[in-house]
Amino acid sequence: MSHMSTLTRAATPTTSTRTLLACGVAAGPLFTGVSLLQVLARDGFDLGRHPLSLLSLGDAGWVQIANFAVTGVLSLGFALGLRLSPVSGWAGRWGPRLYGGFGLGLVLGGVFVTEPSDGFPPGAADGSASWHSLVHDVVAGVAIDLALVSCLLLARRFRRAREAGWAAYSLLTGVAGLTLSWWPDPDGISVRLAAVVVLVLAWATATATRLLAAPVGLGA
């Protein structure tokens, strides 16, 4: 089957698949909006010094915990929607699976909270490394990498489907995110990691919107 016939014969997503893809549309605006409101509203929080994870602490910490959990569940739904879409080949199979790992990581990031650090929450002493903060840090780092590799894998599938624009967008998201997250300078790491999460979720929102608007056959 040619690439063009793969495109023209792409199956229309079922209602359940469309609902799952819609989860990807919602995840980005939800997480970004809720996080931004807290960055602006929480006393003593400085994104230049404090990672978004610290918003899970304090009296209003439940808001960010819920934000992580709900966004994670929505991301898991989007990953399943991708898997149920007309996607084949090893990259098409593993791309959604890895993005599902990102969603699971967000949920776990809300369950296992970090410790107070660098004066936040105000008045709290910096906490020593605890088992749950170590789990949080490891899960967060792995989850971000899984999402970025997922972008790279799905870039390959878009390219094979002759969707050059979406292939380039997915590739740039993965490369930019890996560069920002692995940049060796510790200064500004909280800003860079926040930017990476926003990039990934924006990619998911855009990709889900694209697949909902017009099915794309991503088969080999």
Side-chain angles (χ1 to χ4, degrees), residues 24-25 78 158 166 169 200-212:
V25 177
F78 171 61
F158 275 118
W166 286 96
Y169 176 37
V200 166
L201 290 172
W203 171 85
T205 294
T207 300
T209 301
R210 169 68 182 87
L211 294 175
L212 284 169

Side-chain angles (χ1 to χ4, degrees), residues 1-11 86 88-89 155-164 210 215-220:
M1 181 181 293
S2 69
H3 294 306
M4 187 58 68
S5 60
T6 300
L7 285 172
T8 55
R9 297 182 188 181
S88 65
R156 182 178 186 273
R157 303 316 301 161
F158 275 118
R159 180 179 61 81
R160 293 290 298 273
R162 295 188 177 180
E163 289 279 327
R210 169 68 182 87
V216 177
L218 299 179

Side-chain angles (χ1 to χ4, degrees), residues 108-203:
L108 294 177
V111 173
F112 299 99
V113 297
T114 189
E115 295 286 349
S117 176
D118 203 11
F120 190 86
D126 288 0
S128 58
S130 60
W131 68 269
H132 53 83
S133 66
L134 291 175
V135 170
H136 176 93
D137 291 344
V138 171
V139 165
V142 172
I144 289 173
D145 286 344
L146 290 178
L148 294 170
V149 175
S150 174
C151 291
L152 297 177
L153 291 178
L154 288 168
R156 182 178 186 273
R157 303 316 301 161
F158 275 118
R159 180 179 61 81
R160 293 290 298 273
R162 295 188 177 180
E163 289 279 327
W166 286 96
Y169 176 37
S170 300
L171 177 63
L172 288 173
T173 298
V175 171
L178 289 171
T179 301
L180 288 171
S181 61
W182 284 94
W183 194 260
D185 187 358
D187 292 338
I189 184 62
S190 58
V191 175
R192 294 200 305 271
L193 290 180
V196 171
V197 174
V198 170
L199 280 174
V200 166
L201 290 172
W203 171 85

